[in-house]
Amino acid sequence: MVKTNVETVEDSRTKLTVTVEAGKVDEAIKAAFKKLAKEVRIPGFRPGKAPRKMLEQALGSDYVLSQAAEDLINDTYALALDQEGLRVMGEANFEDPEDLVEGKDFAYSVVVETRPTFGLSSTDIEIKMPPRETTEAEIYAQIEDSRERLAGLEPVEDRAVEADDFVMISFTSTLDGEDYEGSSIDKYMYELGRGYMPQEFEEALIGANPGDKVVAEFVVEDTGANTEYAGKTLHFDIDVHEIKKKVLPEVNDDFAVSAGFENLEDMRKEIKEYIESQKQQSYDRVMDERLVSELADKLEGEAPEALVESRKASMKREFENMLKERDIEFDQYLAMSQIDAEQYDADLSTQAHIATTNDLALEALAAAQKLEATEDDIAAEFVEIADALKMSVEAARAKWQEFGLNTSLKDEVARKKALTWLRENAKVTIDEEAM
């Protein structure tokens, strides 16, 4: 334990003064000499065996005392924050400390920005969820997906091109009147309705018959991924060779066999079991995510950038450690995910902002409902922590005390209680059309 004093500097900034008693100061000075004795080579002495006076002559007493002061600050800062229950963010601004003097108390001050607390516009939360059990609509959707995969193509000879047809085409094209790489295609089966080409291209094909020649021309819109073409005019001369339509298989035993099942009854049974298995694994998680997301929309405040950046750094470390455990290089991950480092960073920023906002919303709900961590709650948490870390409960408590983690643990318990309150008090409507 250390002596602490807290003084409000501004609305969100606090000055924390920490005083370390003389006995701890003396221990720190002895530890600094012992550490430096092992690191500094003094002629005529083995590492770690040089007398204190020799070290003072070699390094200067001010240097040793400054090392001891730095160690004291590192050892007591988090403990002092925890002792005062200060929840900080961003960089701490340490003032120049007083000189460390053997046999005397040592004090230092630091100005920190405290984590904000927000209110909620309402605690009335409503969400929609699909039924927990498998529905006929879900089974039907899975069967339709299989029909799409097993669909065939049949020639069309009695009509012109319609939306959703497949059309065998050839074309030549120019960009602002000039040829460009890939400007001509010979006999390519194009599927309408998928948005592979702009609307003007497909509109030119609709109504055409095999043997027709049609023209499509339009200015390329800037989508962010086609900057070299944006604003330029594309002109297509298109030959229509053949029209085909997609034919879905009938839903019967033959279809089920072609999809890898014994019969249609077996197909429906396995689809139902698969959907139920997926729901069992994810249903509660999805419901929690929706509840917290709705709550976050009612947060009266914006997550501070410093808090988001801290969360982002933490998420990045966790992700990189996960990749390391799986022997995956970061560049390999980017290649497998087909994204670049810039997109990864942007995605991580978005995730960090959402996670931070969610935490602030849960904390706001905990404050509104007076949901605090009790001694019994903390005791139960330490049982779980000790079990996960394979240590005694007493050792776990000592470690959390040493690293100043008790305040963050209380916050975590409060957020858990807030989530439990949401589950019990929010209005959840079951809707078969909800995804």
Side-chain angles (χ1 to χ4, degrees):
M1 300 289 286
V2 292
K3 295 179 182 178
T4 55
N5 181 64
V6 171
E7 175 187 350
T8 300
V9 179
E10 298 174 9
D11 288 342
S12 63
R13 297 182 68 79
T14 298
K15 181 177 181 180
L16 170 68
T17 299
V18 183
T19 303
V20 184
E21 63 181 17
K24 295 291 184 181
V25 171
D26 292 347
E27 290 177 10
I29 293 173
K30 289 179 181 178
F33 273 110
K34 187 175 182 180
K35 177 183 176 183
L36 291 170
K38 295 178 180 179
E39 297 174 352
V40 178
R41 296 299 301 270
I42 303 294
F45 296 92
R46 287 180 296 163
K49 299 299 182 181
R52 175 171 171 170
K53 288 185 178 181
M54 296 293 291
L55 284 170
E56 287 181 328
Q57 291 177 2
L59 301 173
S61 60
D62 289 344
Y63 176 78
V64 179
L65 293 176
S66 68
Q67 290 296 300
E70 184 177 330
D71 291 340
L72 274 176
I73 293 173
N74 290 336
D75 290 344
T76 59
Y77 173 58
L79 181 64
L81 290 176
D82 209 28
Q83 197 168 297
E84 286 290 342
L86 289 176
R87 304 155 69 246
V88 302
M89 62 183 186
E91 294 185 2
N93 182 19
F94 284 88
E95 298 179 356
D96 289 337
E98 61 187 34
D99 292 335
L100 195 69
V101 179
E102 195 166 6
K104 291 187 177 181
D105 292 348
F106 169 69
Y108 65 90
S109 296
V110 55
V111 177
V112 294
E113 186 171 2
T114 53
R115 182 178 175 126
T117 55
F118 297 124
L120 297 165
S121 61
S122 172
T123 57
D124 295 328
I125 306 299
E126 297 184 19
I127 64 168
K128 290 184 179 181
M129 288 290 292
R132 190 179 288 270
E133 66 278 1
T134 304
T135 66
E136 282 298 318
E138 291 169 328
I139 296 175
Y140 173 81
Q142 290 286 329
I143 289 176
E144 286 301 297
D145 285 344
S146 295
R147 292 182 76 201
E148 288 286 343
R149 291 197 306 271
L150 297 173
L153 295 178
E154 290 184 357
V156 174
E157 299 177 352
D158 58 350
R159 63 170 173 79
V161 176
E162 295 179 354
D164 301 328
D165 277 343
F166 287 75
V167 186
M168 181 72 75
I169 60 174
S170 298
F171 65 74
T172 58
S173 60
T174 58
L175 184 66
D176 275 354
E178 301 290 336
D179 291 338
Y180 61 95
E181 185 179 353
S183 62
S184 63
I185 293 291
D186 185 44
K187 292 186 176 179
Y188 171 74
M189 185 64 76
Y190 180 79
E191 181 181 4
L192 280 77
R194 289 299 190 96
Y196 297 134
M197 293 289 284
Q199 183 180 353
E200 294 89 345
F201 185 90
E202 298 199 355
E203 287 177 348
L205 291 172
I206 293 176
N209 289 284
D212 285 353
K213 294 179 181 294
V214 298
V215 173
E217 185 173 281
F218 52 87
V219 176
V220 181
E221 294 183 3
D222 188 357
T223 64
N226 61 344
T227 52
E228 61 178 310
Y229 295 154
K232 297 182 179 181
T233 299
L234 266 174
H235 177 96
F236 291 87
D237 293 306
I238 310 168
D239 290 313
V240 179
H241 301 299
E242 185 180 8
I243 306 170
K244 289 189 176 183
K245 65 178 180 179
K246 179 166 58 178
V247 179
L248 299 176
E250 291 185 23
V251 180
N252 52 31
D253 287 342
D254 290 339
F255 158 68
V257 170
S258 65
F261 301 91
E262 292 184 5
N263 50 47
L264 184 57
E265 182 181 354
D266 177 58
M267 182 179 190
R268 288 177 55 83
K269 178 184 176 183
E270 290 202 25
I271 288 174
K272 180 179 180 181
E273 290 175 350
Y274 172 77
I275 294 173
E276 286 178 348
S277 173
Q278 294 298 304
K279 282 190 172 183
Q280 185 176 3
Q281 294 177 32
S282 64
Y283 194 90
D284 290 337
R285 173 182 56 79
V286 171
M287 184 166 67
D288 285 349
E289 289 174 353
R290 293 184 185 183
L291 288 171
V292 177
S293 178
E294 285 296 311
L295 181 72
D297 286 342
K298 300 180 184 300
L299 185 68
E300 296 179 321
E302 183 64 29
E305 183 178 352
L307 210 53
V308 174
E309 286 300 314
S310 176
R311 184 60 168 267
K312 179 180 175 181
S314 176
M315 294 171 71
K316 185 176 181 180
R317 285 194 302 272
E318 291 175 4
F319 184 71
E320 289 175 349
N321 288 336
M322 183 272 291
L323 290 180
K324 187 176 181 180
E325 289 174 0
R326 299 184 182 183
D327 294 324
I328 300 175
E329 297 292 333
F330 183 66
D331 289 342
Q332 286 180 295
Y333 162 76
L334 294 179
M336 289 187 294
S337 303
Q338 297 183 331
I339 61 173
D340 56 23
E342 184 176 346
Q343 184 61 52
Y344 165 80
D345 187 74
D347 291 345
L348 193 62
S349 294
T350 300
Q351 294 168 20
H353 186 273
I354 292 172
T356 304
T357 303
N358 288 349
D359 279 355
L360 289 169
L362 286 170
E363 289 164 13
L365 178 60
Q369 299 299 325
K370 297 181 173 54
L371 305 172
E372 299 179 348
T374 66
E375 285 300 321
D376 287 343
D377 294 329
I378 297 300
E381 287 292 318
F382 275 119
V383 170
E384 291 186 14
I385 291 169
D387 183 61
L389 298 179
K390 308 298 181 187
M391 62 172 59
S392 68
V393 171
E394 292 73 18
R397 281 186 176 274
K399 184 176 287 293
W400 257 241
Q401 174 77 19
E402 177 185 356
F403 291 105
L405 298 174
N406 286 325
T407 299
S408 62
L409 181 60
K410 291 177 181 178
D411 288 343
E412 184 179 348
V413 170
R415 289 192 294 268
K416 287 181 179 179
K417 284 191 163 186
L419 180 56
T420 299
W421 187 95
L422 271 180
R423 293 168 181 160
E424 295 173 349
N425 293 276
K427 181 180 178 181
V428 180
T429 302
I430 303 302
D431 184 347
E432 288 197 7
E433 296 185 2
M435 298 299 292

